[in-house]
Amino acid sequence: MDYITVTVKHYEIYLELEGYYTPGEEMTHDYPGSASEFDIHKVMVEDTNIIDIIREDLLDELETEAINILEDK
């Protein structure tokens, strides 16, 4: 698990997402595998953290976008 920053563009606004990224694990015969996770701790617009005013469903969308960027999807 690494604490990283990812920049995403959402409705023409650049957001810097800070949080913990855990890469997924491959499925094997004995293990079902696991999905990648990105747990956002801060959503920065310039020097302001706006995480407290973002809806939960938007945070989920931003986490998915961060994973896609990190994994080049």
Side-chain angles (χ1 to χ4, degrees), residues 3-10 13-19 38-51 54 59 62-63 66 69:
Y3 192 81
I4 61 172
T5 301
V6 177
T7 302
V8 299
K9 186 176 180 181
H10 186 75
I13 298 172
Y14 287 95
L15 305 172
E16 286 192 6
L17 310 177
E18 296 181 19
F38 188 78
D39 185 27
I40 297 174
H41 287 251
K42 290 183 182 178
V43 178
M44 303 297 290
V45 176
E46 295 183 5
D47 294 329
T48 305
N49 184 4
I50 62 168
I51 195 166
I54 296 181
L59 280 176
L62 292 172
E63 288 173 347
I69 290 169

Side-chain angles (χ1 to χ4, degrees), residues 25-41:
E25 297 176 340
E26 294 291 321
M27 180 174 48
T28 66
H29 289 294
D30 299 331
Y31 179 65
S34 65
S36 298
E37 295 181 12
F38 188 78
D39 185 27
I40 297 174
H41 287 251

